[in-house]
Amino acid sequence: MFGIPVRGMIVIGVLVGAGLMYAANGGKPMGEADASTTCRMTVTADVLNVRSGPADTQPVLSTLQRDAVTRAERKVENGYRMLDTGRWVNEEFVAPTSESECTVT
């Protein structure tokens, strides 16, 4: 087709597909999140309990030390921020890092 070998057509197809995926992702490599889509929190308490649910009565799963940085969700319930499924911390003792966006949804 058009005098281009099949191997050349495959290479062109792959490059066009990659370019379309790059453009569809807002000009960022696929899988790369920017600060506006990433929520990261810094622990402000000396020791922060990570609980299995959004309440003081829920079991403690682990602890985080002061100044630890952790990924978090934008979900806050009953004064607790969800870190990920089944892991919650008291919202009072974490603060968003300067480069993240942690607006509650």
Side-chain angles (χ1 to χ4, degrees):
M1 180 196 251
F2 305 114
I4 301 173
V6 173
R7 183 177 293 177
M9 292 298 289
I10 292 171
V11 169
I12 290 170
V14 168
L15 292 174
V16 167
L20 289 173
M21 290 186 333
Y22 181 82
N25 196 41
K28 295 181 291 298
M30 295 302 289
E32 181 179 293
D34 61 18
S36 66
T37 61
T38 303
C39 178
R40 297 184 59 79
M41 305 296 279
T42 302
V43 176
T44 60
D46 289 333
V47 177
L48 180 61
N49 291 328
V50 178
R51 297 183 178 274
S52 63
D56 288 340
T57 57
Q58 295 295 312
V60 175
L61 301 174
S62 62
T63 58
L64 294 170
Q65 302 299 313
R66 177 181 292 279
D67 298 325
V69 176
T70 185
R71 193 184 73 72
E73 301 293 328
R74 290 178 176 81
K75 182 176 182 176
V76 174
E77 184 178 314
N78 196 33
Y80 279 76
R81 179 167 297 261
M82 178 188 268
L83 299 182
D84 54 45
T85 304
R87 297 181 66 231
W88 298 78
V89 293
N90 190 316
E91 173 78 351
E92 183 178 344
F93 302 111
V94 290
T97 61
S98 59
E99 71 277 356
S100 70
E101 175 59 43
C102 298
T103 305
V104 176
T105 59

